């Protein structure tokens, strides 16, 4: 294992592999409560992606439901799904066999060559990793996703504004103000944050380049990587 993330994420990997074994390739098999909630998250993550052709890297792809969502929305994609769970990738390959532009691999390291790099649900379960280590991992992952993407990256979090009596100590709830501050000060000034869709989570879209390609967006610089 050359990627140190895979060592940190062993507990997360085992958690999701057991969810898949229990529930199969359904939203509950990736810990979502319903198809509708899973699809709403996809909608928030991909609303800047046009009809295409597009290229999308899906980090933490599970059994590949995002590919089906994008195709169902009429978006043409060249797609790579990465997941730390071997059983998830095996299931995704079974469900999406013989599709030339739809590839699944075990891994956690985004690579260049994709316009959009998205991740749904990868920061929620920290499987016993302490909060400080987890937050460093989250920031590092946001950074590598942004560096890898050609146009946009997007990710979601459980919100720290969830009702206290419904929060689980096993899960990671991010403060949207801190995530926004990190993205604006460390990645790009061109950031969108959606905290309105009622799934106890929020989505952040960080733009390196808007459709059309210009670096200047209404007077704001898009995709300027700020100094660390
Ligand atoms: C909540 S599930 C969501 C799956 C899929 N994105 C969906 O919405 O249907 C999160 C998935 O991300 C994987 N995962 C978690 N952290 C990851 C990482 N850093 N890199 C790759 N996969 C990861 C898990 O194994 C799990 O399959």
């Amino acid at each position: 294992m050359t990627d140190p993330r895979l060592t940190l994420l062993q507990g997360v990997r085992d958690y999701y592999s057991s969810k898949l074994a229990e529930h199969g390739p359904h939203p509950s098999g990736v810990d979502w409560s319903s198809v509708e909630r899973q699809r709403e998250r996809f909608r928030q993550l991909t609303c800047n992606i046009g009809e295409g052709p597009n290229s999308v890297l899906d980090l933490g792809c599970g059994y590949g439901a995002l590919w089906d969502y994008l195709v169902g929305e009429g978006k043409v994609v060249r797609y790579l799904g990465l997941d730390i769970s071997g059983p998830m990738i095996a299931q995704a390959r079974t469900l999406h066999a013989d599709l030339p532009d739809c590839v699944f691999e075990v891994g956690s390291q985004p690579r260049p060559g994709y316009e959009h790099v998205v991740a749904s649900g990868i920061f929620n379960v920290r499987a016993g990793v302490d909060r400080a280590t987890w937050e460093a991992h989250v920031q590092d992952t946001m950074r590598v996703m942004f560096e890898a993407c050609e146009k946009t990256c997007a990710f979601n979090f459980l919100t720290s504004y969830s009702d206290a009596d419904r929060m689980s100590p096993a899960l990671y709830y991010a403060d949207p103000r801190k995530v926004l501050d990190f993205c604006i000060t460390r990645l790009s000034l061109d950031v969108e944050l959606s905290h309105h869709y009622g799934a106890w989570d929020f989505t952040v879209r960080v733009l390196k380049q808007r459709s059309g390609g210009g670096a200047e967006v209404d007077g704001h610089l898009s995709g300027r990587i700020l100094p660390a």
Side-chain angles (χ1 to χ4, degrees), residues 9 16 30 32 38 42 59-62 83-84 107-108 120-122:
L9 296 173
Y16 282 107
V30 286
W32 295 140
Q38 182 186 43
F42 290 158
L59 185 64
C61 60
D83 203 288
I84 51 175
S108 66
S120 189
I122 69 168

Side-chain angles (χ1 to χ4, degrees), residues 86-129:
M88 282 291 181
I89 291 299
Q91 183 66 74
R93 286 176 176 159
T94 301
L95 292 172
H96 305 89
D98 302 324
L99 297 169
D101 282 333
C102 179
V103 175
F104 294 96
E105 292 177 13
V106 174
S108 66
Q109 180 66 43
R111 67 179 71 139
Y114 294 85
E115 293 163 300
H116 307 281
V117 178
V118 305
S120 189
I122 69 168
F123 300 133
N124 298 353
V125 171
R126 59 186 161 102
V129 177

